[in-house]
Amino acid sequence: MPLLRTFDSRKESIEAIARTVRGLTRFDVLEAESGPAAVTVRDIIAGIRSRGDDALCELIQRFDRAEITPEGLRVPAERLERAARDLDPGLREAIGRAIEHVRTFQEQILPPAPPPVGRDGVKIELRTWPLRRVGVYVPAGSAPLPSTVVHCVVPAQVAGVKEIVVASPPRGGEVDATILATAHLLGVDEVYRAGGAQAIAAMAIGTETIRRVDKIVGPGNIYAQLAKKMLYGVVDIDGFAGPSEVLVIADDSAEPAFVAADLLAQAEHDPGQAVLVTTDAAMIGRVEEALEQHLANLATAEGARRCLTAFAAAVVVRDRAEAAAFADAYAPEHLQVETAEPEDLAGRIASAGAVFLGHWTPESFGDYVAGPSHVLPTGGTARAFSGLSVYDFQRRAAWMRYEPAGLRNEAAATVRIAEAEGLAAHALAVKVRAQAAAK
């Protein structure tokens, strides 16, 4: 039985296929907001808001099956130090390399202060400040994700954020040691044993033990994502994340074994969507064969096969233009262009969270050591959203200074608009100054 559900642009429009493929995951934000998970999340938020630490500890016991007291919510500094000390040396070196590359990339893209705008008697500046306090949520459902600590914490540090909080579910009463070690290597010493919607609510609202943050970033299940979305406005968030996804565009120059491995790299998230787009219909059969060969020896084969069967797709298109059109309509989190001239094709595509060019660039590099953050828009939101970066941890405010000359030049226009809007006091604030400046 084929693992990839096949679509053909000669039988359906590109837009129709993209809608159908998106629908395979059955991920619908509006439906999620009105479903049973949303009811649970609202109750969790209400409990944290009214009862703070007591509610948080009860919810940790209920959902994580861990007995945590308010005094035990924060991981002691010595536990972080021990985790780093006990970390496998090879893994320590790999995490260190990831930290170095992510930090270097974020430092390079850190925007300089723009020059002030000047007019006669007017000076306008844009001032930038880092956020003061940021929360990073690190899930630990199917596997611990130390890379998420790196890819969320480092951009915040480069932006100048002074206080960074990490929250992660306790398994057996403890946060995963690799996550703790990574936090310590990054100099983060405020880590809490809390997961799910209750951790999000605690960081957003604040409890007796956990001081509220200004922004929460990081992946998580539907409960964590709904909590972030419901609390947006109380706190800033990075976005609403659905299942991970990859779109691989392959022509006849692609290596089927590479393509199959790239599809599996998303399918093993279970759930995760893997989509192949090709101008070469014969490529689909070759990729299917490679998938079966890889699955025979893959430790995560069971979940990956289940995910491929439910959510994966292959799309045959007539030409490169249709391949680009499908990618723009689908707007993938990860876009891999495994073609003879990948830059040319990728240049036609505007909607993708991150782009991986050529036959030697697996998406896995982006997840770990390339440099850009792996926190990316999913569910088609790459049409409007971007991946997490240093930009997301800064806030901006305009500074405006008018001298008498600028006041005289712009008073009449301002008064005219204010009076047209019926805002007499707005006009008055200008008129009294104009009269004073004229003396």
Side-chain angles (χ1 to χ4, degrees):
M1 178 179 175
L3 293 169
L4 304 177
R5 199 171 315 191
T6 302
F7 301 85
D8 193 327
S9 68
R10 291 169 297 185
K11 299 177 182 178
E12 299 180 75
S13 71
I14 292 295
E15 293 75 13
I17 296 172
R19 284 195 300 272
T20 301
V21 172
R22 273 263 164 243
L24 293 177
T25 62
R26 297 183 291 279
F27 176 72
D28 187 308
V29 174
L30 296 178
E31 184 177 316
E33 288 181 324
S34 60
V39 175
T40 300
V41 172
R42 289 190 189 96
D43 289 343
I44 288 170
I45 293 171
I48 297 292
R49 186 178 182 184
S50 62
R51 299 176 49 241
D53 280 349
D54 288 342
L56 177 58
C57 291
E58 289 173 11
L59 290 162
I60 292 170
Q61 182 178 5
R62 174 183 170 189
F63 292 111
D64 294 317
R65 298 180 179 84
E67 295 279 353
I68 304 289
T69 64
E71 295 75 21
L73 285 168
R74 184 165 177 172
V75 178
E78 55 269 22
R79 178 68 188 98
L80 297 170
E81 294 170 4
R82 186 169 75 252
R85 190 170 56 248
D86 294 344
L87 190 64
D88 174 80
L91 181 55
R92 175 193 283 267
E93 190 278 331
I95 291 173
R97 178 175 293 200
I99 292 170
E100 177 188 354
H101 291 181
V102 175
R103 192 176 303 282
T104 299
F105 178 80
Q106 298 296 330
E107 288 173 345
Q108 289 295 316
I109 67 171
L110 184 66
V117 175
R119 300 190 293 272
D120 185 18
V122 179
K123 182 181 179 182
I124 313 293
E125 295 180 78
L126 187 67
R127 294 289 183 98
T128 303
W129 295 268
L131 299 180
R132 291 166 298 184
R133 185 169 166 84
V134 166
V136 175
Y137 182 66
V138 185
S142 56
L145 299 174
S147 59
T148 292
V149 185
V150 175
H151 285 248
C152 291
V153 168
V154 173
Q157 289 178 330
V158 173
V161 178
K162 299 301 183 187
E163 298 182 26
I164 299 175
V165 177
V166 170
S168 191
R171 295 291 179 254
E174 289 293 341
V175 174
D176 177 81
T178 309
I179 290 173
L180 296 180
T182 305
H184 184 74
L185 292 174
L186 287 163
V188 174
D189 61 5
E190 192 173 351
V191 180
Y192 293 99
R193 300 178 175 104
Q198 57 272 19
I200 302 297
M203 289 191 289
I205 298 168
T207 71
E208 297 89 337
T209 298
I210 304 175
R211 289 190 298 113
R212 64 181 295 182
V213 301
D214 301 319
K215 182 165 188 162
I216 299 174
V217 301
N221 63 17
I222 187 63
Y223 295 93
Q225 296 302 321
L226 282 170
K228 285 165 64 178
K229 196 166 192 299
M230 290 179 189
L231 288 161
Y232 176 62
V234 175
V235 68
D236 192 17
I237 64 172
D238 50 355
F240 186 89
S244 187
E245 62 202 31
V246 67
L247 170 61
V248 180
I249 301 178
D251 62 13
D252 57 6
S253 72
E255 169 55 57
F258 294 1
V259 174
D262 295 332
L263 297 176
L264 287 168
Q266 294 307 304
E268 72 177 350
H269 281 296
D270 189 27
Q273 186 164 53
V275 181
L276 168 63
V277 173
T278 183
T279 53
D280 178 16
M283 176 63 67
I284 298 174
R286 294 195 288 271
V287 170
E288 287 272 7
E289 291 178 8
L291 283 170
E292 292 294 353
Q293 291 170 4
H294 289 324
L295 284 166
N297 301 297
L298 194 66
T300 53
E302 182 180 355
R305 183 181 291 276
R306 179 171 55 243
C307 196
L308 288 172
T309 302
F311 308 132
V315 182
V316 181
V317 294
R318 294 182 179 90
D319 51 33
R320 293 160 63 85
E322 282 196 347
F326 180 88
D328 262 336
Y330 180 80
E333 176 189 18
H334 305 106
L335 172 64
Q336 291 190 236
V337 186
E338 303 187 34
T339 63
E341 297 178 344
E343 284 86 357
D344 177 69
L345 179 52
R348 308 182 190 189
I349 300 167
S351 299
V355 182
F356 303 83
L357 300 168
H359 303 306
W360 305 103
T361 315
E363 181 275 327
S364 308
F365 283 147
D367 277 346
Y368 301 115
V369 300
S373 176
H374 71 199
V375 179
L376 299 167
T378 63
T381 59
R383 299 185 315 274
F385 289 81
S386 304
L388 191 71
S389 75
V390 66
Y391 308 131
D392 297 292
F393 298 99
Q394 297 177 323
R395 61 182 187 86
R396 288 158 288 279
W399 284 29
M400 290 158 272
R401 178 167 181 144
Y402 276 68
E403 302 296 343
L407 174 73
R408 287 191 292 270
N409 289 337
E410 300 183 8
T414 303
V415 168
R416 188 67 178 269
I417 296 170
E419 290 178 344
E421 293 183 348
L423 297 173
H426 280 64
L428 177 64
V430 176
K431 288 177 179 178
V432 296
R433 287 177 169 81
Q435 292 167 0
K439 293 178 180 179

